[in-house]
Amino acid sequence: RGGRPTTKDVVRLLWVSLEEVYAGVTRQIHVSRKVIDEGGDTATCEECSGRGRVIEVIRMGPIAQRIQQDCPVCHGVGRSAAMKTLRETLDVFVEKGTPEGHKIHLHGKADEAPGHDTGDIVIAVKEKEHPRFMRKGADLYLNREISLAEALTGFRMVVPHLDGRKLVIKSKPGEILKPQKGGLTLKAVEGAGMPIHQDPFKFGNLFLVLAVKFPEALDPTAMGELRRLLGAPEHPSQDEDEGDEDAELQDIDPFESSKTGVKVGGEAYDEDEGDGSGGAACQQQ
């Protein structure tokens, strides 16, 4: 920009959907900016008397320093320029896979000023929250729930993608989906994520975050066959002895259970105590 000062850049937010980022989109924005009126009248700057420079006196205690600098009114031109307001509609192209926060520069579209190069309008891309997908870089994440039967025997689901096509996703034959840390199962479809920014023929991955839903209850008549299929032991544990006490599991809130037997202030239960004198004393004769 020739070493001249530049007018201030203007930053604007552009909200786009995940579908738009996936496919790429051209959006229009309306701007209103100050530009030099080439056909307008000019006059000698009264601030600097046409010299384009002014002298500023800076005092530091008893010392005064004179500094020469560009006139703040005419910006060193020596004449004041007529200005006008220009309204424009500008096209903004958001590339496929554009990351959140990416900045697009519209060069020379900020306000103009005499003696200055014109700054840019900077478009900061912001991504709207999506109702189904969550994006991390070029990868997509999708939460789904499957039944216990599907986790054990396999599942098949249809996932509408961001470009309108439908993915039919199937688990591998014979694979059992085991919950991992946090109780969820994470599986991926390679190459079904977002386009890589500025390399749109490559794609990230689509991750399925699967939660296994257990049944509330089972038909007792089917439990024997189910135990057989799942390899449950047919006989009682060898550690059991005749006369052992049976105990049945219950649903109990551990937080409420922790309050049992505790009084206000953390005191334990009271016991009958004496008056602190060590009990009945022997009476001297």
Side-chain angles (χ1 to χ4, degrees):
R1 292 178 173 173
R4 299 198 303 171
T6 305
T7 60
K8 187 178 180 180
D9 290 343
V10 178
V11 179
R12 294 185 57 169
L13 300 181
L14 180 65
W15 290 91
V16 292
S17 67
L18 198 55
E19 286 84 357
E20 290 174 323
V21 177
Y22 186 90
V25 65
T26 298
R27 296 278 291 275
Q28 291 186 330
I29 63 169
H30 304 288
V31 299
S32 178
R33 62 195 187 100
K34 298 292 184 182
V35 299
I36 298 173
D37 186 358
E38 300 294 345
D41 296 331
T42 61
T44 300
C45 178
E46 297 180 357
E47 181 73 17
C48 64
S49 301
R51 292 186 297 271
R53 307 281 286 178
V54 295
I55 296 176
E56 183 179 3
V57 179
I58 299 177
R59 296 189 178 276
M60 300 178 63
I63 301 174
Q65 186 177 7
R66 295 163 63 86
I67 298 177
Q68 191 179 67
Q69 59 186 11
D70 284 344
C71 174
V73 176
C74 68
H75 305 285
V77 177
R79 301 185 65 83
S80 60
M83 306 296 292
K84 64 179 181 180
T85 299
L86 178 64
R87 293 178 174 83
E88 291 183 276
T89 300
L90 305 175
D91 289 334
V92 180
F93 178 55
V94 180
E95 297 175 323
K96 292 182 178 182
T98 295
E100 167 81 7
H102 180 70
K103 292 180 173 58
I104 302 170
H105 286 255
L106 304 179
H107 296 289
K109 291 299 182 179
D111 289 337
E112 294 181 356
H116 282 59
D117 289 322
T118 306
D120 302 337
I121 292 180
V122 181
I123 305 298
V125 177
K126 302 293 291 182
E127 210 170 84
K128 299 176 184 176
E129 185 177 347
H130 197 272
R132 291 183 293 117
F133 292 105
M134 181 180 69
R135 180 188 183 188
K136 288 186 178 181
D139 294 329
L140 292 173
Y141 287 77
L142 178 64
N143 291 310
R144 282 295 178 91
E145 188 177 78
I146 59 174
S147 67
L148 177 59
E150 289 175 311
L152 297 175
T153 64
F155 71 88
R156 176 189 180 99
M157 66 174 61
V158 178
V159 175
H161 212 298
L162 295 169
D163 57 355
R165 63 194 166 102
K166 293 182 179 180
L167 294 179
V168 180
I169 301 176
K170 297 174 287 185
S171 57
K172 293 181 180 179
E175 180 183 22
I176 294 178
L177 300 179
K178 301 176 182 178
Q180 301 168 3
K181 185 177 181 180
L184 301 173
T185 300
L186 191 67
K187 305 298 288 185
V189 180
E190 187 177 4
M194 295 290 292
I196 306 295
H197 185 225
Q198 298 182 343
D199 194 2
F201 295 103
K202 294 182 180 179
F203 292 81
N205 301 314
L206 169 62
F207 288 90
L208 293 182
V209 184
L210 302 172
V212 179
K213 183 180 180 181
F214 282 73
E216 296 294 335
L218 291 174
D219 184 353
T221 61
M223 287 187 177
E225 180 65 11
L226 185 60
R227 289 176 61 86
R228 185 187 68 80
L229 291 173
L230 295 179
E234 297 181 2
H235 302 289
S237 171
Q238 296 179 355
D239 295 334
E240 292 185 17
D241 296 320
E242 186 177 352
D244 288 346
E245 182 180 353
D246 290 337
E248 186 174 286
L249 291 174
Q250 303 289 338
D251 292 322
I252 299 175
D253 185 340
F255 179 73
E256 293 296 329
S257 178
S258 67
K259 299 178 183 179
T260 304
V262 178
K263 293 189 175 182
V264 177
E267 296 178 356
Y269 60 88
D270 294 331
E271 294 182 351
D272 292 335
E273 297 180 353
D275 58 1
S277 60
C282 294
Q283 188 175 10
Q284 294 182 352
Q285 300 295 330

